[in-house]
Amino acid sequence: MQPTHENGLPKQRHNILILNGPNLNMLGIREPDVYGFKNLSAIALECGEYAGELGCTVDFRQSNHEGELVTIIQEARGACAGVIINGGAYAHTSIALLDALKILEVPIIEVHITNTFKRESFRHHSYISEVARGVICGFGGHGYILALDAMRALLEE
Ligand code: DHK
């Protein structure tokens, strides 16, 4: 039998994986003029609270390792209803992440803290965008909240 949430729905129907790539664990310390002062734990907390208001749960993860990110994505199969991903620099470089995301059959939303299109040209292309239903960039940590809203709407479709 599928695990169920308090509301009786199967858990994976509204469990959302929020996956963060390299250096995002350094938010708040890392180039605050570019990425802001909010750290990833604060963002995780806000996402957890907001997801609760939406009737969802979140699995908020971060890794600096490409292979580990691939494994987390593979394990999301059947365990979550959608994926919100900030691949960090791997968004611009990783065919492995793209291939892993292609295996999923759930909606994917890409997030970037910064407006990558206002930055260096090497940040203008993202492999993840090829499989994302949509991309949210340039709104700082609030982008994750916007992505949760968008995901909730997609899951209600
Ligand atoms: C985060 C990173 O670590 C960069 O490598 C990307 C992205 C942009 C962000 O804005 O969240 O280029």
Side-chain angles (χ1 to χ4, degrees), residues 103-146:
I103 299 167
L104 298 180
E105 287 156 359
V106 295
I108 297 162
I109 298 176
E110 180 176 17
V111 169
H112 290 288
I113 306 268
T114 62
N115 181 349
T116 47
F117 299 100
K118 274 173 75 174
R119 302 181 63 192
E120 304 94 321
S121 59
F122 61 80
R123 296 184 204 274
H124 296 180
H125 174 264
S126 161
Y127 284 102
I128 293 170
S129 302
E130 291 180 34
V131 287
R133 284 287 293 268
V135 182
I136 295 167
C137 72
F139 296 100
H142 188 62
Y144 292 82
I145 299 294
L146 296 173

Side-chain angles (χ1 to χ4, degrees), residues 22-104:
N23 297 308
L24 290 163
N25 57 321
M26 300 307 283
L27 284 180
I29 297 166
R30 168 196 193 196
E31 300 177 81
D33 49 320
V34 178
Y35 292 97
F37 287 95
K38 192 177 277 185
N39 64 33
L40 198 61
S41 307
I43 293 172
L45 202 69
E46 285 176 8
C47 286
E49 284 171 4
Y50 193 66
E53 288 172 27
L54 296 178
C56 302
T57 55
V58 291
D59 185 9
F60 197 98
R61 309 280 291 273
Q62 188 275 332
S63 175
N64 291 324
H65 305 281
E66 189 175 17
E68 192 177 337
L69 292 164
V70 167
T71 300
I72 294 169
I73 293 167
Q74 290 176 359
E75 288 172 355
R77 245 179 82 82
C80 74
V83 176
I84 294 169
I85 177 165
N86 183 348
Y90 288 146
H92 315 302
T93 63
S94 179
I95 296 168
L97 281 190
L98 169 64
D99 285 347
L101 289 166
K102 277 184 174 170
I103 299 167
L104 298 180

